Amino acid sequence: MRYFFIVYILLIVVVISVAGFRGSHSRRPPLEVFPDMDRQPKLHPQSENSFFANGLSSRKPISGTIARGRNFEVNPETTGMEYGSYLENIPVKVTGELMERGRQRYEIYCSPCHSSVGDGKGITTQYGMMPSSNFHDAKNFFEMTDGQLFKTIEVGSKSGVMSGYASDIPVQDRWAIVAYIRALQLSRLGTPEDVPGEMQSQFSN
Ligand code: HEC
């Protein structure tokens, strides 16, 4: 029992002398428990290095390297924003070709959840997923500008329930989808008067 007390007290002394003085200043070199963690054989960025002919530790990317992430110019067309606010209108020219591309991309990427008509009751609702946003709702039509729709495709919905499609849908295609969503929305708001005169005869009530 006596030995136990001696060992116990010694242990306390050892623990306090090693751990108890952490953070206090000393002129002596610190105790390095894992010296290879403190001193790693690595090169600091932009330091000198005799291994390479030009003496630099930092290497240039090899030619043909393609940057990941932000390898695009930052302007209203690529961000959907200008002076910190969302663009009101699509900044690219809306052509028949763009609309067709938008329809196709929409069918691939958006219709499984938002449905082909955009009412949010896509096929995923049959598999237990909650309905997605209805593009015919005021919230997603009157209040969301073209830039906001663009941003949603890039980064996902505000609450984060829908994730972003930045890696799958390039900038041009995002605008194409925005244009197509506007067409879907108009399809429910349009009146017979919106149809060009020469085509009105094709409609009968
Ligand atoms: C996997 C299902 C899914 C897919 C695919 C999907 N969405 Fe969504 N989306 C949702 C859900 C769920 C919500 C509602 C999220 C919420 O309330 O935060 C939503 C919300 C939105 C909103 C409203 C955003 C907001 O912040 O309120 C927009 C706009 C939208 N989606 C556009 C799109 C477009 C465009 C595509 C195709 C590129 C797309 N979504 C693809 C599930 C999806």
Side-chain angles (χ1 to χ4, degrees), residues 2-181:
R2 197 152 36 109
Y3 287 120
F4 172 77
F5 276 118
I6 292 172
V7 170
Y8 188 65
I9 287 167
L10 271 180
L11 206 69
I12 292 177
V13 170
V14 168
V15 168
I16 290 181
S17 53
V18 172
F21 294 99
R22 279 172 66 237
S24 54
H25 299 284
S26 163
R27 286 183 182 281
R28 276 176 295 160
L31 191 72
E32 285 176 321
V33 184
F34 299 110
D36 56 342
M37 294 288 276
D38 290 331
R39 291 166 216 291
Q40 299 172 13
K42 67 176 182 193
L43 296 167
H44 291 283
Q46 309 198 350
S47 61
E48 238 179 80
N49 164 31
S50 58
F51 184 77
F52 294 107
N54 66 0
L56 299 176
S57 63
S58 307
R59 314 310 305 155
K60 284 193 180 147
I62 55 172
S63 66
T65 304
I66 296 169
R68 287 193 65 183
R70 270 214 158 178
N71 56 345
F72 57 81
E73 264 184 62
V74 175
N75 59 40
E77 196 184 317
T78 59
T79 58
M81 301 186 82
E82 193 166 31
Y83 306 122
S85 8
Y86 291 112
L87 291 183
E88 246 350 278
N89 297 310
I90 299 177
V92 298
K93 196 157 181 278
V94 179
T95 59
E97 213 179 306
L98 190 85
M99 294 295 277
E100 183 51 37
R101 176 82 182 163
R103 186 186 65 79
Q104 189 207 35
R105 296 290 109 180
Y106 178 90
E107 286 294 335
I108 295 170
Y109 289 109
C110 319
S111 72
C113 297
H114 289 278
S115 95
S116 288
V117 295
D119 63 5
K121 299 196 194 86
I123 192 153
T124 47
T125 53
Q126 291 173 24
Y127 294 88
M129 223 181 111
M130 64 170 198
S132 308
S133 291
N134 176 355
F135 295 139
H136 305 290
D137 261 0
K139 181 181 139 221
N140 298 312
F141 184 28
F142 301 110
E143 289 171 15
M144 283 187 102
T145 66
D146 290 350
Q148 256 176 309
L149 285 174
F150 174 91
K151 205 59 169 185
T152 306
I153 300 175
E154 183 187 338
V155 302
S157 70
K158 274 180 247 122
S159 67
V161 177
M162 174 192 142
S163 52
Y165 287 83
S167 54
D168 301 298
I169 306 179
V171 166
Q172 273 294 318
D173 285 351
R174 285 177 220 160
W175 290 122
I177 292 174
V178 172
Y180 186 68
I181 291 177

